[in-house]
Amino acid sequence: MGASVRGPEHRRHGQPNQDAWLGRLGHGTALAVVCDGLGSRPHSAGGSREACRAVADAVRHWANLPEAPPELLLRLIHALWNMRVHQNGRDESATTCMFAVTMKDRPLLLAQLGDGLVMLKTPAGTTTLEPPSERFGNATTGLGVASDVREWRLHLEPNFTGAASILLATDGVADDLVPEKRAEFLTVLVTKYGLRPAAARSRAIAKQLRDWPTPRHRDDKTVAVLWNDATTEASE
């Protein structure tokens, strides 16, 4: 489940949402993708949407090759995204990209290129992917910026079992989450919305993002969540 809303600044100026998200579930695979177009690039809104589709297409091909390492998946994402944004140009379409994919007989894969937050919560604790706090200014990487797949942050989790859940959040959300409250935020999303019908989930989460309590926070806001059945069963 997930939702994406324009930030106050984009609503005020009639500009599009530069964030995008996508979720896919079926055939033994669960995928969530969240992307945040770089604000300084004129076609970043399209770039973020195409990045979500590129990840979904790449995962579909990767799933057919059980022995293919994650590096090949990342290279395919770059190639497919470059083809999708060729008309507008990769520099003008640059975007961050985060995703989580789990499939039968493979470890859970978490991946992040650029800003935002990826968090895995299990009974054993939490694992996070995020940019280093000491990075300089607003410098970030992303599709259209990165020159090497080694710029991605990756985490492989062998057992996505028990009451496990994953949060993907653009920096419009992640920057406002106090580190020690992140797991609680994810738990609330799953327990409050996880049992609702899909359309109702998205509407409710979107409303929460529009009513974001931090004053003067101007960014677009996007979250996506993956969880397994044990998580919602535990909340009942």
Side-chain angles (χ1 to χ4, degrees):
M1 64 181 175
S4 183
V5 302
R6 286 189 300 169
E9 184 173 10
H10 285 167
R11 291 200 303 269
R12 186 165 52 249
H13 295 290
Q15 295 175 316
N17 186 352
Q18 293 175 335
D19 287 0
W21 84 281
L22 176 149
R24 294 279 170 84
L25 183 64
H27 302 294
T29 300
L31 169 69
V33 192
V34 166
C35 300
D36 180 358
L38 303 191
S40 60
R41 311 302 170 94
H43 297 291
S44 61
S48 64
R49 292 192 298 271
E50 295 298 350
C52 288
R53 296 175 184 131
V55 172
D57 287 347
V59 164
R60 179 167 49 83
H61 291 292
W62 188 63
N64 293 325
L65 300 169
E67 303 303 319
E71 178 187 345
L72 294 182
L73 172 61
L74 301 180
R75 292 187 182 279
L76 184 55
I77 290 169
H78 280 261
L80 292 174
W81 180 80
N82 282 329
M83 287 191 287
R84 285 179 171 274
V85 302
H86 174 73
Q87 186 172 2
N88 289 327
R90 51 176 289 169
D91 291 340
E92 289 76 14
S93 306
T95 179
T96 69
C97 186
M98 299 172 282
F99 66 91
V101 59
T102 179
M103 57 185 65
K104 187 177 180 180
D105 299 326
R106 276 195 183 182
L108 165 71
L109 173 62
L110 306 178
Q112 181 188 51
L113 183 66
D115 293 341
L117 172 68
V118 181
M119 185 178 70
L120 167 67
K121 179 174 178 284
T122 72
T126 60
T127 299
T128 60
L129 302 179
E130 60 186 321
S133 58
E134 69 273 11
R135 67 192 177 91
F136 178 76
N138 291 322
T140 189
T141 188
L143 296 170
V145 178
S147 58
D148 195 307
V149 295
R150 287 176 292 185
E151 294 184 44
W152 287 79
R153 304 175 192 91
L154 298 178
H155 174 76
L156 288 169
E157 184 74 18
N159 297 306
F160 187 52
T161 57
S165 51
I166 300 164
L167 171 69
L168 309 176
T170 58
D171 55 3
V173 172
D175 286 353
D176 282 348
L177 294 178
V178 178
E180 56 268 26
K181 294 291 186 179
R182 291 169 171 174
E184 181 180 337
F185 177 71
L186 175 54
T187 298
V188 168
L189 288 174
V190 174
T191 57
K192 188 173 182 179
Y193 305 122
L195 294 175
R196 299 187 186 188
R201 293 173 189 163
S202 293
R203 288 194 299 268
I205 296 171
K207 183 180 186 304
Q208 182 172 339
L209 295 177
R210 291 190 189 95
D211 297 339
W212 197 248
T214 304
R216 298 182 296 278
H217 200 290
R218 301 175 296 171
D219 281 355
D220 302 327
K221 296 173 179 63
T222 303
V223 297
V225 179
L226 275 179
W227 73 99
N228 59 22
D229 290 340
T231 311
T232 43
E233 290 168 1
S235 71
E236 291 183 273

